Amino acid sequence: MMAGGVVPSMAAACSETDWRLPWDGGCRCGQVRIRISAPPLLTSACHCTGCQTMSASAFSLSVSVPEDGFAVVAGEPVVGGLHGEVRHFFCGHCKTWMFTRPPPGAAFINVRPSILDWHGWFVPFAEFWLSEKLPWAVTPAVHGFEGFPPMEQFPELIEQFAARGVCRPG
């Protein structure tokens, strides 16, 4: 369930078998481990200055997964970065930025794909905050938005990702 609507089904092209789930991942030191057991809804890059600062890079990357398909299986992540409705979670020991929980009711988690044990498959499908993008930062994303798109646009993005998003892991 997305805020204000229903998460579209992942379409036949993205069954759990195609995605070879579950995926495991963890922070740099290994004290916090996560598991993803549901196909991703969307992959993205965010160019906002906040993500640039937190990632110490030109943008942050996210793989959005249904909340019920995400679990912390070892360790206790801590809140860092934003502490309001949107919360960023880190390993308390090595400080790896691991995932973001959007406002309550969004029903998805944004996981940093680089924490997955195998993330070579990742390609951003959409990119956000192009208005704050560094001029040299380029991604192969199919969709781009000057800011953050309205939540009512996400069901269509999710359907398009399901139909023709990134290659499946494996």
Side-chain angles (χ1 to χ4, degrees):
M1 167 83 71
M2 297 285 296
V6 174
V7 171
S9 69
M10 284 303 297
C14 294
S15 72
E16 287 186 18
T17 303
D18 291 333
W19 287 99
R20 298 197 174 138
L21 296 165
W23 302 331
D24 293 316
C27 62
R28 185 169 187 174
C29 73
Q31 289 187 24
V32 179
R33 298 287 297 165
I34 60 107
R35 176 164 290 148
I36 294 173
S37 59
L41 302 169
L42 189 66
T43 58
S44 61
C46 181
H47 296 274
C48 80
T49 55
C51 283
Q52 290 174 24
T53 301
M54 286 196 24
S55 67
S57 187
F59 46 79
S60 70
L61 300 174
S62 293
V63 57
S64 300
V65 297
E67 189 171 28
D68 62 1
F70 173 83
V72 174
V73 296
E76 287 291 324
V78 298
V79 176
L82 296 179
H83 290 258
E85 279 195 324
V86 175
R87 292 166 292 146
H88 299 297
F89 287 84
F90 295 77
C91 168
H93 182 74
C94 70
K95 308 302 186 218
T96 300
W97 181 18
M98 299 185 70
F99 60 94
T100 300
R101 288 190 183 273
F108 66 93
I109 306 291
N110 285 329
V111 178
R112 308 284 79 76
S114 57
I115 72 163
L116 297 174
D117 292 343
W118 189 73
H119 56 271
W121 61 271
F122 181 89
V123 176
F125 186 71
E127 56 187 340
F128 310 122
W129 287 102
L130 293 175
S131 64
E132 297 181 3
K133 172 177 117 41
L134 295 174
W136 54 265
V138 178
T139 78
V142 175
H143 297 282
F145 300 89
E146 288 300 303
F148 196 76
M151 290 306 284
E152 52 270 7
Q153 284 191 267
F154 279 87
E156 182 178 343
L157 282 172
I158 291 167
E159 285 292 340
Q160 289 180 22
F161 176 79
R164 62 184 178 94
V166 300
C167 297
R168 307 314 187 251

